Amino acid sequence: MIIDLATRRPIRQVTRADLQAFPVWEWAVNEEEMGGHGESFIRPTQNQCIPTGVTQQYIVAAVAILNDGSHLPAVAEVSVQANKVRVAPLLLFLTEHRLDFYASETLTMLSHFTRQARSWPARWELAVAVEGETRLRSGRVRHGFARRCAFLWARLRSPGAAPA
């Protein structure tokens, strides 16, 4: 795939094949006037790792690891500022669907897909390294207060059914 105006996509239209061809994308800022591109458009980069020298936000190929250990392709946003790197998982791919990492509909779709009553993304791992690092960044999925309370309530009602 060649990087040109045709390779720009709204983030909601990026595919697994796009991320395999170009694992690191950036926001196509200042291109809103070109070819009907909106502020949600991203463009591929030639980077094979996440650069740290410049303040920038990247959209990066990742893997979502479900609570049962299965892996699904995913997308994360990586923010670099003053050599500090922050990662926020955004989307995961389930067959032909793009699902928000934290949406309640995602839990429903994952439960149907895995045929388990409770299935959720528990961890994430970037598919490319941060510049200067040898290990891929990974982390636990952090849930909001309301979701943690719901998990706790479910656990109290049926021990072993939900995460702490």
Side-chain angles (χ1 to χ4, degrees), residues 13-76:
Q13 291 180 8
V14 71
T15 65
R16 290 186 284 188
D18 292 335
L19 291 165
Q20 288 173 343
F22 298 103
V24 180
W25 293 61
E26 62 188 1
W27 292 102
V29 294
N30 301 325
E31 291 186 3
E32 289 89 7
E33 310 293 324
M34 299 168 49
H37 293 180
E39 58 189 36
S40 68
F41 272 68
I42 57 176
R43 63 179 168 236
T45 72
Q46 294 290 345
N47 298 334
Q48 294 303 307
C49 67
I50 301 158
T52 58
V54 178
T55 297
Q56 181 76 290
Q57 291 179 313
Y58 299 96
I59 302 302
V60 178
V63 175
I65 301 139
L66 304 183
N67 60 314
D68 68 356
S70 19
H71 291 67
L72 294 174
V75 178

Side-chain angles (χ1 to χ4, degrees), residues 89-137:
L90 292 178
L91 303 169
L92 57 92
F93 294 98
L94 181 62
T95 60
E96 73 278 357
H97 302 284
R98 288 172 201 83
L99 305 172
D100 290 324
F101 227 85
Y102 297 101
S104 59
E105 299 85 27
T106 300
L107 302 180
T108 302
M109 292 287 289
L110 289 173
S111 292
H112 287 297
F113 177 74
T114 60
R115 297 179 197 221
Q116 293 183 7
R118 290 185 176 91
S119 189
W120 61 86
R123 299 189 55 75
W124 55 266
E125 182 176 279
L126 295 180
V128 296
V130 173
E131 183 178 43
E133 297 180 4
T134 56
R135 295 182 55 176
L136 298 176
R137 292 260 178 134

